[in-house]
Each structure stands twice: as structure tokens, then as C-alpha cells.
Amino acid sequence: MTERRISAQQLGLAMGLAVADEKALFKWLLASFLFGKPIQQSVAERAYRVLVEQHGLDSPARLARCSQQELVLLLGQAHYVRYDISTADRLLKLSRKLLAEYDGSVIAICRQSSDQHDFAMRLLAFEGIGPKTVEIFMREAEVGLYGQS
């Protein structure tokens, strides 16, 4: 049984990604991070909605202000419990690294990258981001960032 693939359109991010809007790019990176884990897509989507839509964790700065325990509780609300502690920890590391190395900007990662491969390698340098997360992210962010798919 295959599970449906969540899209940026379903999360209301497609237009923002098409024009490389920073807020939409971060939200899609966060969603891609959650969807890239070995967990049901419906649970990952619910976790995204709890974090972003219900609790306003829609920027690296807002996410970084949370404690690990707060994030574990929010992930628990979404029934994202299998990897809740490691996911919370990695979300904090992601937001803090993005703030420290790229001024909190996904666009800055792109600007500092020599090409799409370099951009992907920079994403892979974030703890918890693997090839699947990069694939999901680039599937819909590539056009806005690089003008092609």
C-alpha cells in the first residue's frame, strides 16, 4: 500500500515557493524534514500543521526559541511519537545552524552555493537532513530557487 505524497500546494506553499519567498521556503524545508522521516505521511502532515499553523513556528528564530521538551510535546499532539525526541533535537539544531551560518535564510544557502549540487550538499550538512529530505524539498523548491525543474 502506497501512501499519498504531500505537496507544497496542499500546505498552501506552492505560490511562495514559485517566487522563492523566504517564509514559504523555510516552511517547506520544515515540512520536507518531517516528511523525509520513516513515519506515516499523515502523521508528518499533522506534525507540520501543529508546529506551523497552530503554534506559529514558521521561522528559524521562532523554532529555535522552543525547548526540546516543548517540541516533543507538540510532536506528541500530532501523534508523532516514534522519533519525537530525536526529531525535536534535530529541529532545534536545524534552526540554530540556519540562524548561525545563513542568517536564518534558505535563500542565503542558495546564494552561497555554487550550483544545485552544492546547495544539496549544504542541506545534507544539517543534522537530520538526508537524501530523502533533500529530494522532497527540491521537488518543489527548485523552480523558485533555480528557475527550472
Side-chain angles (χ1 to χ4, degrees), residues 5-136:
R5 184 168 88 171
I6 306 298
S7 70
Q9 178 77 33
Q10 290 165 285
L11 299 178
L13 301 174
M15 288 296 290
L17 293 179
V19 297
D21 173 74
E22 182 62 49
K23 189 162 233 163
L25 285 165
F26 177 74
K27 288 178 183 180
W28 184 240
L29 181 61
L30 179 60
S32 299
F33 179 91
L34 294 167
F35 296 143
K37 302 298 174 222
I39 197 155
Q40 292 178 357
Q41 293 288 285
S42 59
V43 173
E45 179 182 5
R46 199 165 41 244
Y48 170 84
R49 294 192 186 281
V50 167
L51 293 171
V52 173
E53 295 173 4
Q54 292 178 23
H55 294 278
L57 302 178
D58 58 358
S59 73
R62 287 181 177 170
L63 189 59
R65 283 194 293 265
C66 291
S67 70
Q68 181 189 42
Q69 188 58 38
E70 287 171 317
L71 288 176
V72 168
L73 290 172
L74 295 178
L75 291 168
Q77 285 179 20
H79 306 289
Y80 195 112
V81 294
R82 186 171 173 198
Y83 301 103
D84 57 346
I85 294 171
S86 63
T87 297
D89 184 53
R90 288 176 174 162
L91 285 171
L92 289 172
K93 288 178 179 175
L94 181 149
S95 61
R96 291 172 182 157
K97 179 178 173 90
L98 189 57
L99 286 164
E101 296 182 19
Y102 299 101
D103 200 28
S105 171
V106 176
I107 292 172
I109 300 172
C110 184
R111 288 186 180 141
Q112 291 181 35
S113 301
S114 58
D115 56 24
Q116 290 163 296
H117 176 74
D118 186 32
F119 180 82
M121 297 308 291
R122 288 173 186 263
L123 287 180
L124 289 168
F126 285 83
E127 186 176 327
I129 292 185
K132 189 61 170 175
T133 298
V134 172
E135 175 190 322
I136 293 166

